[in-house]
Amino acid sequence: MVASIATSAFFPASSGKSPLSKSANGSGETVKAVNFSTTPAAPSQSSRAKSAIEAVSKVEGYAAIEPDKVAPPLPSTPAPRTIYNQLPDVSFWLATVMAIVIAAADRHFTLPDWRPKRPDMLSDAFSFGKIVQDGLVFKQNFLIRSYEIGADQTASIETLMNHLQETALNHVRSAGLLGDGFGCTPEMTKRNLIWVVSKMQVLVDHYPIWGDIVEVETWVGSHGKNGMRRDWHIRDYNSGQTILRATSLWVMMNKLTRKLAKIPEEVRDEIRPYFFERMAIVDEDNRKFPKLEELNGNSAEKHLRKGLTPRWGDLDVNQHVNNVKYIGWILESAPMAMLEKHELAGMTLEYRRECGKDSVVQSHTTVYSDCTNSARQDSASIHCEHQLSLESGANIVKARTAWRPKQGQNKGIVGTVSTAHA
């Protein structure tokens, strides 16, 4: 009841009397009604509160509080500090961000060019690659990484050969000719056909070092009635200097029967628009490779390495040994003294048959020096004849390599090697 009276004091009614309760002694005597109706000169809140308290001396057995003992009203305090009322007003920033997003969506907003201006800081040098020269040549850049260099602090021949293989496959994919197979066109996939390399020739001018950027160009052309030609040209990205040139011949094989097959007209129609009749190597090495018996019958220095077996990581998706692995096996039988003082300047490889995961391979190397004086052989050019064969005697790869002294990073292409001892 006290609450209702106090409420009436703060929110007075327009007319009427307020009900009264019993006196403090419980006799039932009533207190005269006090009219709390508003007056023209309304007192303050504190005075109205005191008047209400004075009107009730004793209510419900409790003594009324004396008017002069009423505490003054507490000063108003701000709302308690919470995480919500302390957050800044972000409406301005939200509106700014929305304006930027809308402008960008309407292509009215141009982002600043964040790419470095220095030519040696290439933000887009290692992209997937692109097709140039009217869609006939594929170009891709590679960075020579620390794990791709050898004891000479230069990139290995296997590294450069892997770049050739990578650009060839990316060329097929960029041209839109990649079917379900690895480097196969859609029509080849329908017929279970795959490409296999039959011959390759490589000429190395010099070897890049760690951190160099190489630019690889590749293109394809026709070769006879049942083959295709693929060429490469590797240059230094910054100087444009030639690093390596290579050419290769490819034929088709049935993936199921593992036998050579003719190129169907449907496949020829797919690849013919991409033929580019340009040769990376004009003077090709077309000399016949000697037989192993002929190599064993002469007095040249011979080296043999037996028991070479492919690892699982040496197989490609067609379940035969990767072409680059053959080069490593060829060098397994090369003499260490030659590897320490000479570098590979050129090689020609002829692939005879595929090698599977259960094959055991022998590596034969016959070394010929262009100098008969043994004291000057370290500074003379060397060429070698190589053969990889199965333990049964069947030939896998025949190869011919040319070597030059390592003195001072010699420049210049070693072309067709001497045939005096071939």
Side-chain angles (χ1 to χ4, degrees):
M1 183 174 181
V2 175
S4 64
I5 293 174
T7 304
S8 300
F10 286 92
F11 304 97
S14 60
S15 61
K17 300 179 180 180
S18 301
L20 301 177
S21 62
K22 295 180 182 181
S23 63
N25 56 10
S27 60
E29 296 178 359
T30 60
V31 182
K32 292 182 180 181
V34 180
N35 188 358
F36 294 101
S37 59
T38 59
T39 60
S44 63
Q45 281 190 346
S46 60
S47 62
R48 287 203 302 264
K50 293 180 179 180
S51 300
I53 296 174
E54 292 173 352
V56 184
S57 59
K58 291 182 180 180
V59 181
E60 296 288 345
Y62 297 94
I65 302 175
E66 296 298 332
D68 56 353
K69 296 181 180 180
V70 177
L74 296 174
S76 60
T77 58
R81 295 169 62 88
T82 65
I83 191 173
Y84 299 103
N85 58 21
Q86 295 185 59
L87 292 175
D89 186 4
V90 297
S91 58
F92 171 77
W93 299 108
L94 181 61
T96 303
V97 172
M98 291 300 297
I100 294 174
V101 172
I102 294 174
D106 293 338
R107 296 184 180 181
H108 296 310
F109 182 79
T110 303
L111 293 173
D113 187 6
W114 56 269
R115 292 176 296 180
K117 304 303 180 183
R118 288 172 48 190
D120 58 336
M121 297 177 62
L122 302 171
S123 60
D124 57 351
F126 313 112
S127 58
F128 170 76
K130 58 184 178 180
I131 295 180
V132 297
Q133 298 190 24
D134 299 327
L136 300 178
V137 178
F138 180 79
K139 180 186 296 186
Q140 186 173 2
N141 300 332
F142 296 92
L143 174 69
I144 303 301
R145 307 182 187 277
S146 60
Y147 53 82
E148 295 175 328
I149 62 175
D152 299 327
Q153 302 181 15
T154 58
S156 63
I157 186 62
E158 291 92 337
T159 294
L160 299 178
M161 297 297 289
N162 281 325
H163 292 166
L164 303 186
Q165 181 171 283
E166 180 69 11
T167 51
L169 294 173
N170 288 339
H171 184 195
V172 177
R173 180 164 61 176
S174 296
L177 297 177
L178 190 64
D180 295 335
F182 196 60
C184 301
T185 67
E187 291 295 332
M188 291 174 61
T189 303
K190 293 178 183 179
R191 294 164 173 80
N192 293 316
L193 297 175
I194 58 175
W195 288 111
V196 292
V197 60
S198 62
K199 187 177 181 180
M200 176 174 287
Q201 183 179 357
V202 178
L203 300 178
V204 184
D205 182 81
H206 70 278
Y207 289 87
I209 63 175
W210 174 34
D212 283 354
I213 302 171
V214 297
E215 181 182 78
V216 186
E217 289 185 349
T218 184
W219 60 92
V220 294
S222 61
H223 179 73
K225 296 182 179 180
N226 199 37
M228 183 184 72
R229 177 192 185 98
R230 177 173 287 278
D231 289 42
W232 295 269
H233 195 158
I234 300 182
R235 298 181 178 89
D236 184 276
Y237 180 86
N238 293 314
S239 66
Q241 186 178 9
T242 295
I243 294 176
L244 178 148
R245 293 178 294 149
T247 185
S248 59
L249 301 179
W250 298 73
V251 293
M252 282 197 168
M253 173 185 286
N254 188 291
K255 186 167 59 175
L256 302 180
T257 63
R258 315 306 289 185
K259 295 182 179 180
L260 298 182
K262 294 183 178 181
I263 301 179
E265 286 300 322
E266 293 81 1
V267 176
R268 198 180 299 275
D269 292 339
E270 285 181 319
I271 61 178
R272 185 182 292 113
Y274 300 94
F275 284 169
F276 187 35
E277 302 305 331
R278 186 180 78 180
M279 302 176 67
I281 300 176
V282 178
D283 298 327
E284 296 185 29
D285 183 5
N286 293 317
R287 290 171 295 145
K288 185 178 180 181
F289 286 94
K291 296 181 180 180
L292 184 60
E293 294 78 9
E294 297 174 0
L295 296 175
N296 293 333
N298 58 42
S299 59
E301 180 183 348
K302 301 175 181 62
H303 300 269
L304 174 64
R305 178 70 183 273
K306 296 183 178 181
L308 300 174
T309 57
R311 300 171 301 176
W312 178 254
D314 298 331
L315 304 179
D316 59 20
V317 296
N318 295 320
Q319 297 299 309
H320 60 240
V321 174
N322 188 286
N323 300 328
V324 179
K325 183 62 181 179
Y326 293 139
I327 300 175
W329 280 345
I330 288 172
L331 300 181
E332 283 286 342
S333 59
M336 183 60 64
M338 184 183 72
L339 297 177
E340 290 176 346
K341 298 179 181 180
H342 292 74
E343 65 181 9
L344 182 64
M347 63 179 176
T348 303
L349 302 101
E350 187 176 270
Y351 298 89
R352 295 298 184 93
R353 67 177 64 230
E354 62 180 341
C355 179
K357 59 183 179 64
D358 298 324
S359 301
V360 181
V361 180
Q362 296 179 346
S363 177
H364 303 261
T365 295
T366 304
V367 181
Y368 299 94
S369 174
D370 292 344
C371 180
T372 57
N373 187 352
S374 59
R376 299 180 56 192
Q377 284 187 358
D378 292 345
S379 60
S381 298
I382 296 176
H383 79 272
C384 304
E385 298 288 342
H386 309 268
Q387 285 199 18
L388 292 179
S389 61
L390 299 175
E391 287 186 331
S392 61
N395 289 325
I396 301 175
V397 176
K398 291 185 176 183
R400 181 179 295 115
T401 59
W403 302 78
R404 59 175 170 242
K406 289 182 179 179
Q407 300 172 358
Q409 284 294 326
N410 298 322
K411 305 297 180 182
I413 297 293
V414 176
T416 305
V417 296
S418 174
T419 60
H421 304 285

